Amino acid sequence: MNPETEAVGSPAERAERAYASLRAAVIEGALAPGTKLGEETLAAHYGVSRTLVRTVLARLVADGLVDSPHGRSAEVAHPTIDEARDAFAVRRILEREAAVRVAERWDADIAERLGSHVRAERAAWADRRAAASSRLGGEFHILLARETGNDLLERYMSEVVSRTALILAIYGRDIDQQASIEEHEELLDLLAAGDAERAADLVTHHLGEVERKTLRPAEPGTDPLLSVLSRY
């Protein structure tokens, strides 16, 4: 954070900016799994008290983005492959329910809010800001849940989307962001048509493909150095 702007706003506002900043840095893969998140360092950087830093870190723990081992400093989480698969299983269930409910509630205001977000995804991709476009892609699904009008569904979706975004930052391979944007656009068309069943099938298929393509465990016994050198 710029030292000239870090004190701008109330402590609560600065804490909210710190949360958004740390969340984006983790989801976009800028902070590697295991990175220590020292309270004193973060408090000085964001211009907030250590008490507020603890509140921010607690939110990130709830999001599944940060681990806080007892008696040790908080650190960026590192989910296992099995934990990753569990997260995607839960997300598929929530995504189907969200798609059905939004199809039933669809109106011009929902269309504009979701459409505007997808346009932002595409603009970030066109500007070659792949990490930002991917983050916006994940946030699209949180917005989808918000449009259901079910606060609990939105909360659970926010947590599992954050968790799976971190998982993809760690394990993700063969991710086609362009295809994801196109599927979001297709989903909006299905929702606008009131086709709840096909919309639910689309999000289920999309998440299944993401899991299949990206969550492949490393082959046992592979030496990372030799694995790299074998390609040269």
Side-chain angles (χ1 to χ4, degrees):
M1 178 176 289
N2 188 325
E4 296 179 358
T5 62
E6 65 182 5
V8 173
S10 68
E13 290 170 334
R14 295 200 297 275
E16 189 62 32
R17 288 198 296 270
Y19 168 75
S21 170
L22 283 166
R23 182 178 181 277
V26 173
I27 287 176
E28 293 183 8
L31 289 177
T35 299
K36 300 297 183 183
L37 302 172
E39 293 178 5
E40 187 172 349
T41 300
L42 295 177
H45 181 71
Y46 290 111
V48 297
S49 68
R50 291 183 66 173
T51 299
L52 284 177
V53 166
R54 291 189 197 104
T55 300
V56 169
L57 292 174
R59 290 176 66 185
L60 294 168
V61 169
D63 288 342
L65 299 177
V66 167
D67 287 334
S68 185
H70 181 68
R72 297 190 312 211
S73 297
E75 59 187 43
V76 177
H78 195 311
T80 66
I81 287 286
D82 286 341
E83 289 170 337
R85 297 199 185 285
D86 288 345
F88 270 93
V90 171
R91 183 172 167 181
R92 281 194 296 274
I93 295 169
L94 297 177
E95 291 272 10
R96 287 191 67 89
E97 182 65 17
V100 169
R101 287 177 176 251
V102 173
E104 294 170 348
R105 292 166 51 90
W106 190 262
D107 60 24
D109 290 337
I110 294 175
E112 174 54 31
R113 286 190 290 269
L114 292 178
S116 176
H117 191 88
V118 173
R119 289 192 292 274
E121 285 181 62
R122 185 169 285 285
W125 180 251
D127 291 341
R128 298 184 179 180
R129 293 183 292 120
S133 182
S134 179
R135 174 174 52 80
L136 288 167
E139 290 172 355
F140 168 82
H141 296 271
I142 298 173
L143 292 179
L144 184 70
R146 183 174 302 164
E147 297 298 349
T148 67
N150 185 318
D151 292 341
L152 197 56
L153 178 56
E154 179 189 348
R155 175 181 145 199
Y156 290 157
M157 182 73 89
S158 179
E159 291 178 10
V160 76
V161 167
S162 296
R163 182 72 164 177
T164 53
L166 169 63
I167 287 163
L168 292 177
I170 298 170
Y171 297 109
R173 298 183 291 273
D174 304 329
I175 298 174
D176 187 344
Q177 183 61 20
Q178 172 69 24
S180 292
I181 295 170
E182 291 172 356
E183 287 186 337
H184 287 172
E185 293 168 339
E186 181 182 356
L187 176 61
L188 294 186
D189 289 340
L190 292 172
L191 294 172
D195 196 336
E197 184 175 352
R198 287 182 62 197
D201 287 344
L202 177 62
V203 294
T204 302
H205 172 76
H206 169 68
L207 288 172
E209 285 297 290
V210 169
E211 181 178 356
R212 182 182 67 81
K213 291 179 180 178
T214 66
L215 300 185
R216 298 190 301 270
E219 294 182 8
T222 299
D223 185 317
L225 174 61
L226 297 181
S227 178
V228 172
L229 294 181
S230 69
R231 299 195 297 272
Y232 289 86

